[in-house]
Structure formats: C-alpha cells, structure tokens
Amino acid sequence: MDYFLTEEQEMIRDLARQVAQEKIKPVAAEYDKSGEFPWEIMKQLAEMDFFRFYLDEAYGGMNAGAMGLALVTEELSRACGGIAASYASSMLGIMPLQIAGTEEQKKKYFPGFAEGKTLAAFALTEPEAGSDAGNIKTTAKKDGNSYVLNGVKHFITNGGVAQFYTVIALTNPKKGSRGASAFVVEKGTPGFSFGKKEDKLGIRASSTTELIFEDCRIPEENLIGKEGMGFIIAMRTLDRSRPGVAAQAVGIAQGALDHALEYSRQRIQFGQSISSFQAIQFKLADMATQIEAARALTYSVARMIDGGASDYAKEAAMAKLFASDVAMAVTVEAVQILGGFGYMREYPVEKYMRDAKITQIYEGTNEIQRSVIGKHLIKEAASKK
Ligand code: COS
C-alpha cells in the first residue's frame, strides 16, 4: 500500500530496512540465544545517526517525529524485536523530558543522546504497580536542594545499559498518584544500583532489570515538570510511545510473514510447493491483510501525533491493541506454515512468535488498552449530550 511518505520518511525507512536486513538479521539469532545486549549494533545505529531521528533539530536531532520513529521501529523489528526494543525504549526514556523537561535539562541530556553516546530508559513499573500504575511506592523526599529516592522499579527495559533514567516517584505519598513526580536520575549516582537481570521468553537481546534506589540523592534540578505532575507525565509518555509498540508489532508480524511466504514457495509436499495449496494461500492472505490494516492504523496515529493533535490516548491505545494482537496471530500462523520446522530453534519463525508476545503486555496490557478506549468512548458520548 502506498502511504505517500515524504522523501525524508522514505529515506529513513529505506536506511532502517537496509541496516536491519544487512546488519541485524544475520546476528538476531545469536543475540536471542546469548541474551547479551547488542552494543555493537547500537554503536552502528549511532554512527548512522539513528539516535537523531526522534529529537528536535535544536538539540542535534532531525525532527522525524512519531512517523519517523514508527518507520524505524517497524524495520528494525522485522529483523529483530529485541534489538528494536532496545532502540525504541531509549526513545521512551527521553519522552518525559520532551513533554515536560526544562530547556536546561534538554540541553544537558539531548545532544549526547543524539550522538548516540548515551541510552535512556523510562521507569514507572514496580512489583505492586503494573497495570495499576498509580500504586507506585517509590518515594522522592525533598531535603534542602535535593530529593532523596527510595524504592524499587522492576521490568525496566534498558536497565543497566542506559546512562539516564526518567523515574516516577512519590513526592507526596498521601496523595497517591496525584502526589507522583517525574525525575531524571543518572547512572552512577550513589544509592542507585541495578538488581536482577530478567531471563525472558522473547526480545532477549534487550536488557530488562530492576532499579534499586537506597537513599539516592539527586539535585532538585532533576525534577521534570512540577511536583504532582508525575502520573500525568507518565500517562502522556505512554500515549506517545504506544504507537511505537504498534510499529514494533507490525514489524515482527511482517518479518514472520516474509519467512513463511519464502518457505511456502520452497517447501515441496505431495509433489508441489505448498504455496500452491489454497490452505496455505488463505493463511498468507489473511496474514498480509491483517498486517496492512495494523500498519495503516499505526501510521494514522503517528500522523495524528505529528499533526499536533492534543489528545490521542484512545487512538494510541487502539493501534497498540490491534497491531499487537495481529502480531501474535500472524506469528502463530507463520509457525504453523513451517510445521515441524517452525517449532525448531534452527528456523527463525519461533523467535518472532516469542518476540510478539510482549507487545500484548508491555506499555500497558491489551486489557488496559481496551479499558482506556472504553473510558474514552463513554466520556465522548457523555460530552455530546
Ligand atoms: N493523559 C493525561 N492525563 C491522563 C491520562 C492521559 N492519557 N490518563 C489518565 N490521566 C489523568 C486523569 O485525567 C486523572 O487526572 P485527575 O487525577 O486530575 O482526575 C489521573 O490521570 C488519574 O487517571 P485515572 O483515574 O484514569 O487513573 P487510574 O489509576 O484509574 O489508571 C490506567 C489509569 C489504568 C489507564 C493507567 O494506570 C495505565 O495506563 N496503566 C498501565 C500502565 C502501563 O502502561 N504500564 C506499562 C509500564 S511503562 S513501559
């Protein structure tokens, strides 16, 4: 389908596709097996200016917006969902600063990020605050010109590898989520350490760890926005990042379809290639149609964000929900087309199925996305009366 991309968007997509197919695809299985962080790939992406795409020109960026980020994330995911997650989570990490950071904070953190010298991470989730994000317990107590952080964040993508972390913590625990604030915390700050590294089903090239804060003192300048704005900043961050998860899901699904289609043309059974059987053709047709619908929705939401829409929470949730369900369904079908070979680690398709699963879970489970969409529908209906 022709999405009438601008020349710049086509250039970004083509470059991402080339890097993904030439540099990432050949090593995806290796990183999946070892679970090691793809430093070498991140270095190459940095050298090719990939960390500039999503930033404003004023800070060394290229202003490619949500659409640029979606195109890159999709292409990287088509080759490896885990490597794409490491890249996209870094963009997630800077979003709170883009939304509510001061000029000083942007000038401090963005230029190095644009050059690919630093990675970032976003830390909201805690053991008792997953879907119920308002139930965080980490505290940030004001003490003179500092805040002192105590608590544990878990399941943090880019944990340990990022140089700076945007962290949501309670400055007024009595107020619950309305007493939450956002901070930037640098790796190496005394009292800030990393706990266990998770051993995951999929996206194994990405690093997922606990963050531990024990009397971690940070300067008051590290507050992002105002005290009490943390939950809203976190929700607005997720509104922006969910189309990125949708793009990751589209890419994973497309990668699985690419393999299944190729295999079906090569595989001979009953004296002919299995692609000549209607049973296989119908599967391929459904997979391709679902992917295109997911892509169209994802790009539309990205364009809505870049077009300056003020509220896109519902549409972002729709894209994430739809595309991730498509990714799961398509990757399961891809394994089915490859049959016994699809089940073997020797073939790349089972990895796509494992990588797809997280897109239905992180940055808000699909049950949470349905709840966000439902609440918006009811609110919109009520406001029309
Ligand atoms: N943009 C701006 N403000 C928002 C918002 C959004 N998208 N969503 C909620 N808010 C505001 C509400 O307007 C409300 O403001 P007031 O306190 O001034 O009334 C406040 O935030 C609380 O909203 P709500 O009552 O809807 O919060 P809940 O505690 O019921 O939780 C959900 C809302 C479930 C949607 C939220 O907790 C969520 O998204 N959970 C999933 C978290 C997630 O995605 N985790 C992934 C980890 S991060 S990778």
Side-chain angles (χ1 to χ4, degrees):
M1 192 172 288
D2 194 336
Y3 291 99
F4 295 99
L5 301 179
T6 64
E7 238 173 76
E8 193 201 29
Q9 287 165 347
E10 274 185 13
M11 188 272 288
I12 288 174
R13 183 202 55 197
D14 293 349
L15 183 65
R17 185 172 294 171
Q18 191 188 345
V19 172
Q21 296 302 312
E22 288 176 9
K23 308 272 187 212
I24 298 179
K25 206 170 164 187
V27 295
E30 231 170 85
Y31 282 112
D32 177 56
K33 209 168 183 181
S34 70
E36 270 169 37
F37 188 74
W39 284 114
E40 188 50 39
I41 302 285
M42 290 298 131
K43 205 175 122 217
Q44 290 176 22
L45 293 180
E47 282 164 6
M48 283 181 282
D49 288 333
F50 274 60
F51 287 88
R52 294 186 193 279
F53 292 149
Y54 192 59
L55 280 174
D56 283 353
E57 278 167 23
Y59 311 103
M62 287 161 77
N63 234 354
M67 189 66 184
L69 181 56
L71 293 167
V72 174
T73 305
E74 178 184 338
E75 291 302 333
L76 299 186
S77 303
R78 195 169 171 178
C80 178
I83 291 174
S86 309
Y87 172 80
S89 296
S90 219
M91 306 304 144
L92 169 67
I94 63 164
M95 284 176 190
L97 286 166
Q98 287 181 319
I99 290 167
T102 61
E103 197 52 35
E104 287 72 32
Q105 288 170 338
K106 290 177 186 171
K107 278 189 182 141
K108 182 170 179 194
Y109 293 104
F110 288 175
F113 183 89
E115 286 174 35
K117 287 184 183 153
T118 54
L119 295 176
F122 175 63
L124 169 65
T125 303
E126 296 183 7
E128 303 302 323
S131 291
D132 188 5
N135 192 39
I136 58 166
K137 300 279 183 265
T138 296
T139 54
K141 201 167 175 228
K142 190 85 196 274
D143 182 29
N145 296 333
S146 317
Y147 286 96
V148 179
L149 271 66
N150 278 288
V152 176
K153 296 285 173 186
H154 85 164
F155 296 167
I156 305 305
T157 313
N158 279 352
V161 299
Q163 270 70 37
F164 63 93
Y165 298 76
T166 45
V167 178
I168 311 298
L170 299 173
T171 39
N172 189 344
K174 282 192 208 121
K175 284 192 176 172
S177 65
R178 283 178 185 222
S181 305
F183 298 92
V184 55
V185 185
E186 293 176 26
K187 186 176 177 175
T189 308
F192 176 25
S193 60
F194 304 103
K196 93 169 153 108
K197 182 172 185 249
E198 303 295 342
D199 186 10
K200 306 189 293 291
L201 173 76
I203 59 162
R204 291 176 52 78
S206 66
S207 169
T208 309
T209 71
E210 282 178 332
L211 312 184
I212 300 165
F213 301 101
E214 291 165 307
D215 290 331
C216 171
R217 186 175 287 274
I218 55 169
E220 64 181 351
E221 298 82 61
N222 288 23
L223 173 71
I224 305 172
K226 293 197 170 73
E227 275 195 21
M229 288 295 293
F231 191 73
I232 306 288
I233 293 172
M235 290 300 112
R236 287 181 56 206
T237 294
L238 292 169
D239 293 344
R240 268 197 200 194
S241 68
R242 284 170 181 160
V245 178
Q248 182 190 20
V250 170
I252 290 171
Q254 185 65 56
L257 174 60
D258 295 343
H259 280 287
L261 179 58
E262 192 48 35
Y263 176 88
S264 72
R265 293 173 63 240
Q266 309 296 334
R267 174 72 171 164
I268 306 292
Q269 288 291 275
F270 305 102
Q272 49 196 313
S273 78
I274 62 167
S275 65
S276 64
F277 298 126
Q278 206 176 47
I280 300 296
Q281 286 172 10
F282 279 13
K283 279 191 199 300
L284 294 170
D286 285 344
M287 289 156 80
T289 306
Q290 288 175 61
I291 292 170
E292 209 56 70
R295 181 179 288 124
L297 181 56
T298 303
Y299 288 2
S300 297
V301 181
R303 284 184 161 140
M304 193 177 165
I305 297 172
D306 292 339
S310 57
D311 183 1
Y312 41 84
K314 181 184 72 181
E315 292 77 8
M318 284 175 166
K320 196 269 194 198
L321 165 67
F322 187 76
S324 61
D325 281 355
V326 163
M328 203 60 238
V330 164
T331 54
V332 167
E333 281 297 67
V335 170
Q336 190 68 18
I337 289 173
L338 269 80
F341 294 108
Y343 201 69
M344 304 302 161
R345 291 247 158 134
E346 206 182 322
Y347 284 75
V349 176
E350 58 83 32
K351 174 181 181 298
Y352 285 97
M353 187 176 77
R354 288 186 285 110
D355 287 351
K357 187 62 203 168
I358 194 63
T359 64
Q360 293 181 310
I361 299 171
Y362 69 3
E363 293 184 34
T365 63
N366 280 3
E367 289 70 24
I368 289 292
Q369 309 309 317
R370 287 185 172 90
S371 143
V372 168
I373 297 162
K375 275 187 196 168
H376 271 79
L377 291 176
I378 292 158
K379 213 166 101 185
E380 283 162 16
S383 71
K384 276 183 198 144
K385 280 195 178 159

